[in-house]
């Protein structure tokens, strides 16, 4: 087998945004870094591609909020052209009987909207926002801080004490809110605040995004919280469209890496992590080429890393057993559609700011629960949860003049299903029919579509089970237990093996935090200066 002549200080498996972030920090500190990426383009699931002649869109990841301000600043993304256009309102929910709900646009406006459904809910909103912001601040403080790692000696003890001091400073009320959000179901949590079904749905939708679960599932309230700890242009909790699509972020990150001397190898899928004497020492590509390094850093998910790339015999028995039980499969189905005109919603006809928001078809928590139980029984929901964004309204680089592209992010679709082409087409037709029921004529406006079932997401991006978060975001797989208790510090069970992807703290989404934190751990081990 051919061997590479030069040996870098670190090899990163996967050129997604976290891999690029990690590479940047390591290279900036003087390390010789190589990224090996399976596809012909960097970016992982954060890429912009043409999916129909003349139509481009963010293929998988499709909206931005969670990207860490420190990462944006350190990699100089704004100077490279990073620009995010915020939504004028957060979400537009078409409702039965021709009604609708608009969330966002300021507190007073949202209160007035809620009052149409419940005066009590309108009155409760300021308190709810204040509570959510306080708890989200806790996550913001912890995002760039490695979790305390059980069994890691003095370093883990110091981190545990530091984190403990941070949490101990929280008021009793905030501590209670944190506990409830981490353990309760979304329905339990939201019903303490709101009584109206549409209002509960407006907030409960975030609890099932990338979560193959019911809003009645214990712990689903945390997923709701995970989606609100970001910010756009300094506005906490906001979401927006990055000009050029999500691929523009990773393109700029790749530029920053190149300036630091990072060697990015495309079309280089890894077949196996090479292990000698209980240590990761290199990688073997699908081509048979072997590359050697004293540090192997995985930007792929734990299920892919430990289930396919690292020989199971090289892993400690208990770790291997727990990785076999590591839960993946977010129940997500992604579509991109090329449109010859904007959709026209019966509950709010014509163009307007509602079409520049997240258009959410999920009018109640009961609807969301039925979508999950239906998927378990039939493979996919016959009335799925759909979020649609139309980024071409604010970014004319994505579609020809007078035409549009739409991102459809949908739940619930069984990740364990075989997902044949016939099943994928039938599920896609169900999604289109769901939108058509609220926006007559939508089906006829479609010029082309790109379908990514859970299996399609796995084939294209290496997301096992189509899991957009690299693993279920449940209490047993969060913080100090992500991906497994004892290995939350970005260090794998083999010497020289590290993890920098969304399967580590703080989890999924385009954050850059795992990449940043992993680089800190690697540099600490090398006794280089901290970043």
């Amino acid at each position: 087998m051919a061997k590479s002549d030069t040996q870098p200080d670190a090899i990163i498996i996967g050129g997604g945004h976290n891999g690029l972030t990690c590479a940047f920090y390591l290279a900036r500190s003087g390390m010789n870094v190589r990224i090996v990426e399976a596809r012909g383009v960097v970016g992982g699931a954060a890429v912009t591609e043409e999916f129909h002649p003349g139509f481009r869109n963010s293929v998988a990841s499709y909206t931005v909020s969670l990207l860490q301000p420190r990462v944006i600043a350190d990699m100089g993304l704004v100077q490279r052209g990073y620009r995010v256009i915020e939504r004028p309102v957060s979400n537009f929910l078409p409702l039965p009987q021709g009604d609708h709900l608009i969330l966002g646009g300021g507190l007073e406006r949202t209160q007035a909207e809620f009052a149409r459904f419940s005066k009590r809910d309108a009155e409760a909103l300021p308190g709810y926002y204040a509570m959510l912001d306080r708890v989200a601040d806790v996550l913001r403080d912890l995002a760039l801080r490695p979790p305390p790692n059980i069994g890691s000696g003095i370093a883990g003890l110091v981190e545990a004490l530091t984190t403990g001091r941070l949490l101990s400073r929280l008021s009793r009320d905030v501590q209670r809110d944190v506990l409830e959000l981490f353990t309760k179901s979304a329905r339990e949590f939201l019903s303490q605040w709101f009584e109206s079904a549409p209002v509960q749905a407006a907030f409960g939708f975030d609890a099932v995004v990338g979560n193959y679960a019911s809003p009645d599932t214990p712990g689903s309230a945390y997923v709701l919280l995970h989606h609100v700890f970001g910010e756009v242009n300094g506005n906490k909790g906001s979401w927006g469209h990055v000009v050029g699509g999500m691929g523009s972020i990773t393109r700029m990150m790749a530029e920053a890496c190149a300036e630091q001397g990072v060697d990015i190898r495309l079309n280089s899928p890894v077949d196996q992590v090479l292990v000698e004497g209980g240590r990761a020492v290199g990688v073997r590509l699908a081509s048979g080429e072997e590359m050697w390094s004293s540090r192997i850093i995985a930007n792929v998910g734990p299920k892919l890393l430990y289930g396919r790339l690292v020989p199971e015999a090289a892993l400690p028995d208990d770790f291997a057993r727990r990785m076999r039980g590591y839960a993946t499969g977010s129940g997500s189905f992604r579509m991109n559609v090329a449109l010859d005109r904007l959709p026209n919603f019966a509950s709010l006809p014509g163009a307007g700011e509602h079409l520049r928001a997240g258009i959410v078809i999920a009018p109640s928590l009961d609807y969301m629960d039925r979508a999950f139980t239906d998927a378990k029984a039939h493979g996919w929901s016959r009335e799925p949860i759909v979020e649609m964004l139309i980024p071409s309204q604010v970014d004319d680089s994505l579609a020809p003049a007078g035409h549009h592209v739409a991102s459809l992010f949908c739940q619930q679709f069984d990740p364990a299903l075989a997902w044949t082409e016939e099943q994928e087409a039938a599920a896609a037709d169900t999604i289109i029919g769901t939108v058509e029921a609220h926006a007559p004529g939508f089906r006829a406006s479609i010029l082309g579509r790109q379908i990514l079932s859970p299996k399609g997401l796995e084939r294209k991006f290496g997301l096992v089970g189509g899991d957009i978060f690299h693993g279920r975001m449940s209490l047993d797989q969060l913080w100090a237990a992500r991906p497994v208790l004892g290995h939350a510090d970005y260090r794998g069970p083999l010497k020289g093996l590290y993890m920098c992807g969304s399967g580590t703290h703080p989890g999924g989404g385009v954050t850059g935090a795992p990449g940043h934190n992993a680089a800190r751990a690697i540099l600490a081990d090398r006794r280089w200066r901290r970043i």
Side-chain angles (χ1 to χ4, degrees):
M1 298 179 184
K3 293 185 179 181
S4 294
D5 295 332
T6 59
Q7 180 171 314
D9 297 318
I11 294 175
I12 298 178
I13 304 172
H17 80 280
N18 277 311
L20 292 165
T21 301
C22 184
F24 169 80
Y25 284 115
L26 296 181
R28 193 178 72 168
S29 292
M31 291 179 66
N32 182 346
V33 183
R34 179 179 299 162
I35 295 174
V36 285
E37 165 58 41
R39 301 186 68 223
V41 61
V42 295
V47 289
T48 305
E49 297 178 357
E50 185 176 78
F51 66 94
H52 185 73
F55 293 82
R56 301 165 58 249
N57 201 18
S58 302
V59 175
S61 176
Y62 61 102
T63 186
V64 67
S65 171
L66 305 178
L67 188 59
Q68 288 290 311
R70 179 169 182 178
V71 172
I72 294 170
D74 287 349
M75 299 187 80
L77 299 187
V78 173
Q79 292 87 339
R80 300 178 194 279
Y82 176 78
R83 184 163 69 94
V84 180
I85 300 174
E86 295 176 60
R87 303 176 188 179
V89 291
S90 301
N91 289 329
F92 160 61
L93 282 73
L95 301 174
Q97 287 80 52
D99 205 348
H100 67 270
L101 182 149
I102 291 179
L103 177 68
L107 175 61
E108 291 184 2
R109 179 177 173 182
T110 305
Q111 281 184 290
E113 183 78 350
F114 281 13
R116 296 197 299 113
F117 302 94
S118 165
K119 290 184 178 180
R120 174 187 160 189
D121 288 357
E123 293 169 355
L125 185 61
Y128 178 79
Y129 276 161
M131 174 279 302
L132 209 57
D133 197 44
R134 287 193 300 268
V135 179
D137 279 340
V138 175
L139 290 191
R140 294 184 185 104
D141 288 341
L142 296 178
L144 295 183
R145 182 181 298 277
N149 199 46
I150 306 301
S152 61
I154 296 298
L157 179 61
V158 170
E159 192 58 51
L161 291 172
T162 302
T163 303
R165 283 197 298 270
L166 286 173
L167 297 177
S168 68
R169 294 171 187 160
L170 302 175
S171 70
R172 184 66 55 84
D173 287 346
V174 175
Q175 291 180 22
R176 288 169 174 164
D177 290 332
V178 170
L179 179 62
E180 289 188 352
L181 276 160
F182 271 79
T183 58
K184 285 189 172 183
S185 73
R187 190 190 299 268
E188 282 182 296
F189 187 78
L190 290 169
S191 65
Q192 296 177 119
W193 289 91
F194 306 112
E195 61 183 6
S196 164
V199 171
Q200 290 179 352
F203 293 117
F205 165 72
D206 280 338
V208 297
V209 172
N211 190 17
Y212 190 52
S214 163
D216 295 320
T217 301
S220 56
Y222 171 76
V223 183
L224 179 158
L225 174 64
H226 186 79
H227 285 92
V228 300
F229 81 87
E231 61 181 76
V232 169
N233 302 327
N235 297 318
K236 293 180 179 180
S238 294
W239 289 79
H241 170 76
V242 59
V243 174
M246 298 300 286
S248 66
I249 297 175
T250 47
R251 175 184 55 78
M252 296 170 200
M253 286 182 162
E255 290 176 0
C257 287
E259 289 178 5
Q260 298 296 331
V262 175
D263 176 20
I264 300 176
R265 306 280 183 96
L266 302 178
N267 299 305
S268 301
V270 172
D271 186 58
Q272 186 177 326
V273 173
L274 302 175
V275 180
E276 292 181 359
R279 183 181 187 92
V281 295
V283 296
R284 179 182 299 123
L285 303 185
S287 65
E289 180 184 2
E290 293 179 350
M291 300 179 180
W292 303 86
S293 177
S294 56
R295 296 165 193 82
I296 306 302
I297 307 161
N299 186 35
V300 299
K303 200 73 170 179
L304 177 58
L305 176 64
Y306 298 113
R308 303 180 191 177
L309 301 185
V310 177
E312 186 171 299
L315 298 171
D317 291 342
D318 182 67
F319 183 90
R321 178 178 64 82
R322 295 184 187 280
M323 276 296 106
R324 287 194 294 271
Y326 183 79
T328 58
S330 57
S332 306
F333 195 110
R334 272 287 281 120
M335 290 181 65
N336 296 291
V337 294
L339 304 173
D340 67 5
R341 59 186 178 276
L342 288 171
N344 189 43
F345 285 86
S347 63
L348 191 56
E353 63 182 2
H354 64 294
L355 297 185
R356 298 195 299 276
I359 302 165
V360 177
I361 299 176
S364 68
L365 298 181
D366 287 341
Y367 180 102
M368 299 179 204
D369 178 57
R370 287 195 302 272
F372 176 61
T373 56
D374 203 23
K376 289 197 299 180
H378 302 286
W380 65 85
S381 173
R382 289 165 292 188
E383 290 186 299
I385 301 162
V386 178
E387 181 184 29
M388 177 164 66
L389 271 72
I390 312 173
S392 51
Q393 291 192 99
V394 296
D395 185 353
D396 60 11
S397 72
L398 301 177
H403 294 69
H404 291 278
V405 296
S407 302
L408 300 176
F409 183 87
C410 315
Q411 301 278 138
Q412 303 283 358
F413 298 81
D414 187 353
L417 200 65
W419 289 107
T420 64
E421 289 186 12
E422 292 77 13
Q423 290 171 326
E424 289 176 335
D429 289 341
T430 299
I431 292 166
I432 297 302
T434 301
V435 179
E436 176 79 17
H438 294 276
F442 180 71
R443 182 183 286 109
S445 72
I446 296 175
L447 301 174
R449 66 187 190 183
Q450 180 185 41
I451 297 172
L452 290 169
S453 68
K455 189 61 67 178
L457 288 167
E458 180 171 340
R459 285 192 298 263
K460 190 174 182 70
F461 299 112
L463 302 173
V464 176
D467 198 315
I468 64 171
F469 292 152
H470 286 193
R472 187 175 65 195
M473 302 278 285
S474 53
L475 188 58
D476 62 321
Q477 294 184 181
L478 285 175
W479 198 41
R482 191 167 186 88
V484 65
L485 204 65
H487 291 283
D489 59 355
Y490 311 95
R491 299 169 176 91
L494 304 175
K495 292 181 179 180
L497 182 62
Y498 297 86
M499 299 167 284
C500 72
S502 294
T504 59
H505 174 76
V510 178
T511 72
H516 169 279
N517 297 349
R520 286 186 62 186
I522 295 161
L523 291 171
D525 287 350
R526 201 172 189 262
R527 299 183 183 278
W528 284 50
R529 63 181 175 85
R530 287 183 175 271
I531 60 174

